[in-house]
Amino acid sequence: MIGYGFMGRAHSNAYRKVNQFFDLGYEPVLQAACARNGKKLKTFADNWGWKSYETDWRKLVARDDIDAIDISSPNNTHLDIALAAAAAGKMILCEKPLAMNAQEGKAMTDAVEKAGVANMVWFNYRRVPAIALARQIVEKGNLGKVFHYRAKYLQDWTISPKVPQGGAALWRLDIDVAGSGVTGDLLAHSIDTAIWLNGPLTSVCAMTETFIKERQLQDEPGKTKPVKIDDACAFLARFKNGSLGTFESTRYARGRKNQNTFEINGENASVCFDLEDAHRLGYFDHNDQKGLHGWRSILVTDFEHPYMDRWWVPGCVIGYEHTFINALADFLKGLESDKKLCPDFKDALETQYVCDAVLSSAKNGQWETIK
Ligand code: SOE
């Protein structure tokens, strides 16, 4: 595994737990962790039980005792690592967004396809049981014709102009490392979920804003640098199935810490979800008995709900970290069958095309068609 930040911890936890909760033919071995800062890396590796560590990712990729590479490092490192790992015949589990832009994402997708290596992207929210239940409801056709898809992804941690950019944790604010702001970081999640639940988007029209134009550099005290990322982004979309979409994301919604929501309105029923109330799925069924119509709030913890037979007894909720364990279990199970693993690089590339179209629409003020 390359990287030891927030995602390095979430993924390490998944590797350690997955076989305790799922019956799988494969068992991950925590063979080596990799990052540039050897001292911090050792502390991290010892804490999570990684057997060894490397400070140069090229050495890690060259090791023949390693079958899979997990890319948990910042976005500007994904391309080179993925190309090298694919060429070395390793499986790849890559953190989202797939790449800095679609051009990089396409090169990565071509490389894994050419090498024929198993690959996935950690769009963990697909593995929230309530979201997976929404997918089952959509697949059963309960919604009927879909008219509207509405998504929001709101946070508030960059409102202070004192928050610096760059360096560990704050690389998300640095365009050269992140590739974009909320579009790649947050809307990529919303778009991935939307494509999964409602099919492909065909065109978008977006606006973005950078509220704080200049920030101090975390690693060079006293120096500042212009901020080039999108702090906020809102876009309209058309879906292939004829429905209309609205998407909004910001890191300036005071009070919203990680509010990831969607609502789908169909002719027969609607579903809605809010990550801040993650174990519940809202469902409205127009076919309910007259006079008893109303939104149900389904507590998604029963054994028949997605993933929940693997966890506790009904009523006992699971959390954020479990979505990564569920995702890893699906990946490992996929290795045992011919079924396409998803979301893989190809799926994530679709999301990347939408992100690119959103950013260029925001620049040129025009509707953009999705490739
Ligand atoms: C950003 O704050 C972030 O950590 C994203 O990078 C994650 O993908 C998201 O799930 C939580 O928020």
Side-chain angles (χ1 to χ4, degrees):
M1 191 177 71
I2 303 165
Y4 56 28
F6 174 22
M7 284 306 121
R9 292 164 60 225
H11 299 185
S12 297
N13 180 59
Y15 292 123
R16 288 186 65 99
K17 300 273 172 65
V18 71
N19 292 93
Q20 265 73 48
F21 289 95
F22 291 83
D23 299 322
L24 299 163
Y26 287 88
E27 182 173 347
V29 177
L30 283 77
Q31 198 72 353
C34 174
R36 281 170 302 183
N37 183 324
K39 201 167 158 228
K40 283 194 189 157
L41 174 63
K42 185 177 177 333
T43 310
F44 171 84
D46 290 348
N47 183 47
W48 288 100
W50 290 94
K51 289 188 181 175
S52 63
Y53 53 89
E54 297 281 356
T55 51
D56 176 352
W57 67 260
R58 290 184 192 278
K59 281 197 186 145
L60 183 87
V61 170
R63 276 173 57 165
D64 56 15
D65 61 337
I66 285 171
D67 303 313
I69 298 287
D70 182 312
I71 308 175
S72 292
S73 43
N75 304 347
N76 64 341
T77 65
H78 291 192
L79 173 70
D80 288 348
I81 299 172
L83 296 187
K90 317 282 190 198
M91 295 177 246
I92 309 177
L93 300 93
C94 184
E95 195 28 62
K96 53 57 54 180
L98 177 63
M100 299 280 278
N101 51 49
Q103 196 189 351
E104 287 192 358
K106 174 82 170 69
M108 292 164 71
T109 307
D110 289 347
V112 291
E113 286 181 354
K114 183 169 162 225
V117 292
N119 56 92
M120 81 159 214
V121 176
W122 292 93
F123 277 116
N124 60 304
Y125 295 124
R126 287 194 189 198
R127 272 63 195 193
V128 173
I131 298 184
L133 178 62
R135 160 92 181 188
Q136 289 180 356
I137 290 171
V138 169
E139 274 181 331
K140 275 193 205 129
N142 289 22
L143 302 189
K145 183 173 168 45
V146 173
F147 299 115
H148 294 287
Y149 191 98
R150 216 167 284 115
K152 279 187 301 189
Y153 203 139
L154 313 179
Q155 300 185 340
D156 73 353
W157 57 280
T158 62
I159 293 179
S160 167
K162 290 192 185 129
V163 175
Q165 64 172 313
L170 296 164
W171 60 262
R172 284 178 175 77
L173 305 191
D174 182 346
I175 191 82
D176 298 329
V177 183
S180 70
V182 295
T183 300
D185 192 34
L186 304 181
L187 282 173
H189 280 302
S190 305
I191 296 163
D192 174 71
T193 306
I195 295 175
W196 196 49
L197 296 179
N198 198 39
L201 289 77
T202 53
S203 57
V204 293
C205 183
M207 61 177 173
T208 55
E209 184 54 72
T210 304
F211 295 116
I212 293 181
K213 313 282 184 209
E214 183 115 357
R215 287 185 188 272
Q216 311 154 51
L217 291 174
Q218 158 134 295
D219 290 343
E220 294 173 64
K223 274 203 182 159
T224 60
K225 185 175 150 182
V227 178
K228 297 283 184 194
I229 56 154
D230 42 304
D231 284 337
C233 175
F235 72 93
L236 304 175
R238 287 187 180 277
F239 285 83
K240 198 171 168 199
N241 67 3
S243 59
L244 302 183
T246 61
F247 292 76
E248 185 199 357
S249 185
T250 181
R251 293 180 179 136
Y252 287 71
R254 181 60 86 207
R256 298 297 180 194
K257 303 300 168 186
N258 198 34
Q259 194 194 34
N260 172 4
T261 71
F262 65 79
E263 178 166 313
I264 315 176
N265 305 129
E267 65 179 322
N268 300 326
S270 292
V271 288
C272 69
F273 172 80
D274 179 347
L275 186 67
E276 290 184 347
D277 201 4
H279 44 279
R280 291 194 173 269
L281 184 72
Y283 183 65
F284 182 98
D285 192 341
H286 184 61
N287 293 321
D288 277 351
Q289 205 180 313
K290 259 204 168 138
L292 293 182
H293 281 128
W295 278 90
R296 294 175 213 176
S297 174
I298 305 169
L299 182 64
V300 189
T301 60
D302 286 350
F303 293 132
E304 61 268 28
H305 288 139
Y307 303 105
M308 292 311 294
D309 60 337
R310 293 290 152 181
W311 296 103
W312 316 115
V313 295
C316 293
V317 295
I318 60 170
Y320 176 74
E321 69 274 32
H322 299 88
T323 62
F324 292 89
I325 304 173
N326 294 344
L328 181 61
D330 285 347
F331 176 76
L332 295 173
K333 242 183 277 156
L335 296 178
E336 295 171 39
S337 75
D338 292 338
K339 250 177 80 188
K340 174 177 144 37
L341 308 166
C342 89
D344 62 4
F345 278 28
K346 198 156 181 257
D347 298 315
L349 178 60
E350 258 193 74
T351 291
Q352 199 79 58
Y353 279 128
V354 178
C355 290
D356 277 20
V358 163
L359 292 169
S360 41
S361 166
K363 262 200 198 110
N364 63 30
Q366 309 280 321
W367 277 85
E368 288 280 333
T369 304
I370 311 298
K371 278 197 190 159

